[in-house]
Amino acid sequence: MKDDDYKDKLTDAAYKVCRLAATEQPFSGIYNDHWQQGTYHCACCDQPLFSSESKFNAGCGWPSFFAAIETQVAYKSDSSHLMQRVEIQCEHCQSHLGHVFDDGPKPSGKRYCVNSLSLKFQPE
Ligand SMILES: [Zn+2]
């Protein structure tokens, strides 16, 4: 699918985040304070990306995970906004998810900081 094709599938706000790598406002997303058991899927292609088991409260205003489901997430160096960060994308459709940082809890030490708009939750 081309980026344009997602315009029909996604809301305007989700399109900007998923296909144009925008960032939703902190504390605005529906999954920031969401603790149900289940799996977070890609909003664009429905692939499972994160398990509720790896979600933790980072207090940063975005849903945060200490691990992604293996092989489901791609990593890309991102030097926009005068910062050196690692962007995370859906491995299957290259949808923008957010960024991964090295200040997460042990043992992974990772914090996958993800936009709610990039995700679609499926309860267990
Ligand atoms: Zn995807």
Side-chain angles (χ1 to χ4, degrees):
M1 257 165 78
K2 293 196 306 288
D3 278 352
D4 262 8
D5 298 335
Y6 288 99
K7 280 188 175 155
D8 297 331
K9 189 175 159 73
L10 302 170
T11 63
D12 281 358
Y15 181 83
K16 282 186 186 126
V17 168
C18 296
R19 309 316 306 186
L20 305 177
T23 300
E24 71 192 14
Q25 288 298 308
F27 302 101
S28 73
I30 56 171
Y31 299 132
N32 178 49
D33 193 15
H34 177 271
W35 303 103
Q36 239 181 299
Q37 292 291 306
T39 311
Y40 295 84
H41 292 242
C42 177
C44 294
C45 74
D46 295 325
Q47 291 288 328
L49 301 175
F50 299 97
S51 160
S52 61
E53 313 255 295
S54 57
K55 196 171 189 293
F56 71 101
N57 187 2
C60 63
W62 292 277
S64 299
F65 303 86
F66 57 75
I69 297 174
E70 237 172 285
T71 73
Q72 297 293 74
V73 169
Y75 303 86
K76 248 183 88 179
S77 151
D78 172 10
S79 50
S80 65
H81 303 289
L82 300 174
M83 285 179 276
Q84 197 50 250
R85 295 180 295 175
V86 178
E87 182 191 349
I88 43 177
Q89 294 182 341
C90 171
E91 172 72 35
H92 305 273
C93 72
Q94 286 73 53
S95 174
H96 173 75
L97 303 175
H99 291 86
V100 61
F101 301 96
D102 287 324
D103 56 8
K106 285 178 180 172
S108 76
K110 298 288 182 196
R111 172 170 60 95
Y112 290 77
C113 183
V114 186
N115 292 286
S116 295
L117 289 171
S118 305
L119 300 171
K120 199 159 61 183
F121 181 74
Q122 285 190 12
E124 227 158 55

